[in-house]
Amino acid sequence: MVQATTPTAESPPRPRAETVPPPEDEEARTGALGERALALARFYQGKIETVPKVPVRSLTDFSLWYTPGIAHVSRAIEKDPDLSFELTGRWNAIAIVTDGSRVLGLGDVGPAAAMPVMEGKALLFRYLGGVNAIPVPIAIDTEDEFIETVVRLSPAFGGINLEDIASPKCFRILGELQRRLPIPVWHDDQLGTAAATIAGLLNALTLTGRDIRTTRTVLLGAGAANIATARLLIALGQDAHLLTIVDQKGILFAERDDVDSLSLRNTWKYHLALTTDGGGRRGTLAQALRGADVVLAASRPDPTTISPAAVRSMAPKPIVFALANPVPEIWPDQARAAGAAIVATGRSDFPNQVNNSLVFPGVFRGVLDARARSIPDEIVIAAARELATHAQDRGLTPEHILPTMEEVGIFPHIAAATAETAVRLGIARTRRTREEFYAHALEVIQHSVHLATRLLEDGLTLPMPDEPPGGTRGTR
Amino acid sequence: MSHSTHPAKEPKGHEAGPIASSTLPIHLRAATLDDVPALVPLVLRLKSLNEEFDPLLKVRKDAEKMAAEVLTRDIKDPEAIVLATEGVGADKDRIVGVVRARIRERPFYAPEREGVILDIYLLPLYRRHGVGEYLLEEVTKAVKAKGAGVLTAEFPIQNHIAASFYNKRGFRPTMGLYSRPL
C-alpha cells in the first residue's frame, strides 16, 4: 500500500489507468491477494508485537522499570491522573475497538474474525502515524455493554478508534463515548471517510467555481459516512434546504412514511430528515439529481446505480463522487462522458481516491501530541482543510483534488493542523506551536518508519517467505 | 374547548429545521366532522408506527375506513375529545397534529373518571418545538372539564420516545397490558 520511504519523500502522482478493468480480472486479483494474505498470516502469526523502548541490560534494570522504583511513578499519577500522559506510554497509545458487527464488506463476522483486520489497521496507524494502536475486538451483545466496556478500558489509552461497527448503533456508541471519555474517540467509517470526502469536495468546489452556501448537493446513501458528511457539510455552510439525502427508499424528507420509525431507530438520520426535508425535493434519485451541483454517493457497489442520463440532468460541470467499493456507483469514464467535471471514487486505480487512510494517521498523531480531551467536528474539518490545502499546493486539476497515499509527507502536516486546532479550542493538555507540533509528529512518524525498516534490514522482521531474498520488498 | 394560540418554545439552535424560524404560533381547536379526512392519515401514520413494535399490532386492511368511523364517532361523542392542530406558514390551513382521548369509568377505583389518551400524533417538522407538550396541556384541561380525576395514555410498551415523553411530564406506569395470540 505504501512504499517504505521516509515521510518527507513524495513521489509525483503516478499515471492512472483510464480504462475500466474487467470485473473477472478484479476478482482474480482479489482472490490471489486473499490466498497470499492467508499464507502470510499463517507464517507470521500476527502483524504487531510489543517491543521494549527502554534499555534492558540485565534484570537489575527492572528495579527501575518495575518494582520497587516504579511505585514512585504510580504515586505521582495517583496525585495527578493527567501525568499518565507524561510518565507512561498513554500519550501515544490508542485502542482499536470493534464488536465485529460490520467488518469490511463481510458483515457481522464477530470479534475474533475481526482481529486480522484490526491488526492491519494497527499496522497502518503505526507505520503512517507512529501511533501504538492495540487491537481490542470485544465480545458484546448490547450497545450499552459496548459503551461500558470501552469506558472501563480507557485509562490505558490516549484515544479510542472505533472500527467496523454497524450503523446505526455506531452513532450512539460514538456519541456516548465522546460525551463520557476525557480522550478523543473516533469512528473512522464516519469521520475518516467524511473528512476525506469533504477535503476532496472543497477542492472540487473551488475548481468548478462554486460556493458551498449556494451548492445543491445530493448524498446518495445514508450510512455511517454520509450521515457524518451531511453534518460536516452543514457545519461548513451548506444550506440544509439545498441538501437532498437519498437512500433505498428514495429522497429522505420529513413526512416520509418511515420517518416515525427512524425517530426510534436512527435519531441521526431522523434529524437530517427534518433539517433537510429532502432539500425541497420529493421522489427518487433521478428527481434529486436534476439540476444538482454535487452528488456524493456512498451506497452500494453497482456501476449502474447512477446512470449517465442522471449525470447529464445535473447542473453544468457537475461533481460526482462515486465512493462505493470495490465498484463505484458509476464508472468514472462514463460519468465524464456524461459531462461530470470532476469524478472521485474510493479506488486507487482511478484519479481522486477518497480514502480515509489519508486522514486517520495524521488526525490521531495530532490529537495524541496535543493530549486532546476530545475530537470535535472542528478538528475533523481542520484535518479535511489541511488535506485539501496539501492537494492545492501541488496544483489542483480535475484529476488531482486529493493527495494520494504515496504522499506520506501529508501526515505530519495533518497532525500539526489537528493539534493546533485542539489547542485553539482549549481541549489540549499541552501547548505547543504549530511548528513544534509538526516537528514532533515528523520525528515520531520517522522513528516508526525507521524502526520498521531497520528491523527488516537486520532480519529481525522475517522477509516474506514467498519472495526471493532482496526481491520486491517495499514496492507494490 | 375554545380556540387558542400557543407561542411554543423557541427551538434550540442545533435543532433548527426548515420551519424553526422563531416561535410556532400553533393553533389548536376542537376537531369538527369536516376535519375527519385530514385527521385520518395522521392516525394511520401513528398506527403504522405501532405496527413495528409487535405483530399483534398489525394494521388492518380496512384501517382507513375504521379511522374515519372512530374519529367521526368520537367527534360527536360527549365522552370523547378530538383536538386538531393547524400548521404555520405554508401549512396554515393544514392539519398537522391530532390528539384523541376518551373518558372511561373506573368502577373500582377512585378517582372514578379517567381520561385516556388513545392517539396523539404530530407531523415530524412540528416536533421538538414544544407543540406535543401543548397538546398534552390542552387535552388535560379538556378531560378535567369532563370530570376526569386521572389522565392515562396508551401506547406500545416498546415506544421509548413516548415513554420518555410521559415520564418527563409526571406520568408513571400503573397498569400493564400483556398479550398473546390465540
Side-chain angles (χ1 to χ4, degrees):
Chain A
M1 173 162 214
V2 175
Q3 294 175 5
T5 51
T6 59
T8 45
E10 290 170 14
S11 51
R14 65 208 149 82
R16 302 292 175 168
E18 274 306 301
T19 48
V20 176
E24 54 276 21
D25 283 11
E26 274 296 296
E27 266 172 49
R29 186 173 153 267
T30 307
L33 282 174
E35 286 303 317
R36 191 164 176 221
L38 186 58
L40 290 172
R42 192 164 280 128
F43 178 77
Y44 286 104
Q45 300 185 346
K47 292 186 272 295
I48 54 170
E49 66 181 342
T50 58
V51 175
K53 60 181 279 199
V54 295
V56 180
R57 294 153 304 187
S58 74
L59 279 178
T60 49
D61 285 336
F62 282 94
S63 58
L64 296 167
W65 308 138
Y66 196 52
T67 187
I70 207 66
H72 262 68
V73 186
S74 279
R75 274 199 211 99
I77 295 173
E78 186 192 10
K79 282 191 201 117
D80 177 5
D82 274 358
L83 279 179
S84 62
F85 290 88
E86 309 299 325
L87 304 179
T88 74
R90 185 179 186 182
W91 68 275
N92 198 30
I94 66 163
I96 303 178
V97 192
T98 186
D99 62 353
S101 60
R102 187 188 162 276
V103 176
L104 306 176
L106 306 173
D108 188 355
V109 298
M115 188 63 176
V117 185
M118 301 308 121
E119 282 190 335
K121 186 91 178 194
L123 206 55
L124 278 171
F125 262 116
R126 175 70 192 183
Y127 194 80
L128 300 175
V131 175
N132 290 321
I134 313 295
V136 189
I138 48 183
I140 232 79
D141 289 324
T142 68
E143 288 172 31
D144 288 331
E145 279 178 10
F146 190 100
I147 291 163
E148 282 306 320
T149 304
V150 177
V151 168
R152 283 158 210 273
L153 287 170
S154 64
F157 299 103
I160 302 288
N161 179 73
L162 303 173
E163 194 76 21
D164 290 351
I165 301 168
S167 168
K169 66 177 164 181
C170 62
F171 300 114
R172 180 167 165 255
I173 288 173
L174 177 66
E176 273 294 293
L177 288 173
Q178 285 188 331
R179 193 177 61 76
R180 288 180 61 179
L181 292 180
I183 53 175
V185 185
W186 175 270
H187 180 216
D188 213 34
D189 301 310
Q190 293 179 60
L191 305 171
T193 308
T197 304
I198 295 283
L201 179 64
L202 290 174
N203 282 339
L205 293 174
T206 304
L207 271 176
T208 55
R210 288 181 166 95
D211 180 340
I212 195 167
R213 289 168 300 183
T214 53
T215 297
R216 178 168 275 284
T217 305
V218 176
L219 294 181
L220 174 59
N226 263 0
I227 297 256
T229 300
R231 194 180 70 236
L232 295 180
L233 281 174
I234 292 170
L236 280 164
Q238 164 81 52
D239 182 349
H241 298 94
L242 295 177
L243 181 60
T244 304
I245 297 167
V246 182
D247 64 8
Q248 308 93 307
K249 293 192 171 83
I251 292 175
L252 179 68
F253 62 99
E255 288 182 24
R256 202 171 80 172
D257 284 348
D258 61 332
V259 163
D260 293 318
S261 170
L262 288 176
S263 74
L264 290 147
R265 300 184 208 296
N266 191 336
T267 316
W268 301 269
K269 192 167 163 182
Y270 170 72
H271 180 61
L272 285 170
L274 268 53
T275 49
T276 63
D277 196 21
R281 301 284 178 96
R282 299 290 183 270
T284 62
L285 176 64
Q287 271 96 48
L289 287 178
R290 201 163 296 149
D293 299 293
V294 176
V295 58
L296 305 176
S299 58
R300 59 205 169 95
D302 173 352
T304 62
T305 308
I306 301 176
S307 69
V311 174
R312 276 193 293 273
S313 80
M314 293 175 72
K317 295 189 288 171
I319 297 165
V320 177
F321 282 24
L323 304 180
N325 272 330
V327 178
E329 287 86 347
I330 180 170
W331 291 111
D333 56 349
Q334 286 182 343
R336 277 191 295 270
I342 296 171
V343 183
T345 70
R347 288 167 53 136
S348 60
D349 52 349
F350 293 119
N352 301 329
Q353 185 192 16
V354 173
N355 184 348
N356 53 348
S357 297
L358 291 167
V359 178
F360 70 81
V363 165
F364 264 96
R365 182 72 273 134
V367 290
L368 289 171
D369 288 345
R371 320 273 194 269
R373 295 177 194 280
S374 61
I375 193 154
D377 281 351
E378 288 92 333
I379 285 190
V380 187
I381 289 171
R385 285 194 192 282
E386 184 62 24
L387 197 55
T389 304
H390 203 77
Q392 288 157 21
D393 291 347
R394 306 196 52 187
L396 285 190
T397 72
E399 309 259 289
H400 183 251
I401 57 168
L402 278 166
T404 69
M405 283 303 293
E406 277 75 16
E407 297 170 47
V408 287
I410 61 172
F411 295 113
H413 286 287
I414 293 176
T418 303
E420 187 189 38
T421 308
V423 171
R424 183 170 55 76
L425 294 172
I427 54 170
R429 290 181 175 85
T430 174
R431 275 194 165 274
R432 289 182 194 171
T433 64
R434 184 176 176 127
E435 290 68 34
E436 287 166 343
F437 279 127
Y438 176 80
H440 185 257
L442 184 64
E443 185 189 325
V444 173
I445 296 171
Q446 279 183 331
H447 169 74
S448 172
V449 173
H450 180 62
L451 199 60
T453 310
R454 278 297 294 273
L455 287 171
L456 192 56
E457 283 169 0
D458 291 355
L460 294 167
T461 296
L462 296 175
M464 291 198 195
D466 57 358
E467 284 182 356
T472 55
R473 166 173 63 80
T475 59
R476 293 168 70 93
Chain B
M1 162 93 217
S2 62
H3 291 200
S4 56
T5 297
H6 171 72
K9 273 193 308 198
E10 186 98 23
K12 288 174 199 153
H14 69 279
E15 290 177 347
I19 57 155
S21 45
S22 56
T23 58
L24 289 182
I26 282 295
H27 186 62
L28 185 63
R29 57 174 172 77
T32 67
L33 291 176
D34 289 344
D35 294 326
V36 170
L39 295 173
V40 165
L42 301 181
V43 170
L44 288 179
R45 284 185 76 111
L46 176 64
K47 303 304 172 194
S48 305
L49 174 65
N50 289 352
E51 187 174 54
E52 294 195 18
F53 296 114
D54 197 291
L56 281 174
L57 299 175
K58 186 167 171 49
V59 173
R60 282 163 52 162
K61 282 204 170 62
D62 59 349
E64 190 171 350
K65 182 170 78 77
M66 295 310 296
E69 278 180 24
V70 167
L71 286 161
T72 303
R73 180 197 71 196
D74 285 356
I75 287 169
K76 290 182 188 164
D77 189 345
E79 291 288 87
I81 289 140
V82 183
L83 304 179
T85 315
E86 286 172 0
V88 293
D91 287 339
K92 198 167 162 293
D93 297 317
R94 186 176 172 219
I95 291 177
V96 299
V98 61
V99 52
R100 182 174 70 92
R102 290 191 60 85
I103 302 295
R104 269 186 201 154
E105 296 295 334
R106 304 207 312 162
F108 303 109
Y109 307 114
E112 288 169 25
R113 281 167 73 77
E114 164 189 344
V116 48
I117 299 171
L118 293 156
D119 299 319
I120 182 165
Y121 186 83
L122 200 54
L123 282 177
L125 283 179
Y126 287 84
R127 297 174 196 165
R128 304 180 176 190
H129 299 311
V131 180
E133 182 146 20
Y134 177 47
L135 290 182
L136 183 61
E137 282 166 16
E138 291 302 312
V139 79
T140 303
K141 281 185 216 161
V143 297
K144 261 175 123 171
K146 290 184 189 295
V150 57
L151 180 60
T152 58
E154 278 184 18
F155 57 88
I157 191 82
Q158 291 179 70
N159 186 340
H160 60 84
I161 294 181
S164 156
F165 175 82
Y166 289 113
N167 275 324
K168 280 183 201 150
R169 287 161 183 86
F171 289 71
R172 57 177 185 265
T174 43
M175 298 286 275
L177 185 68
Y178 280 62
S179 314
R180 75 166 189 196
L182 300 175

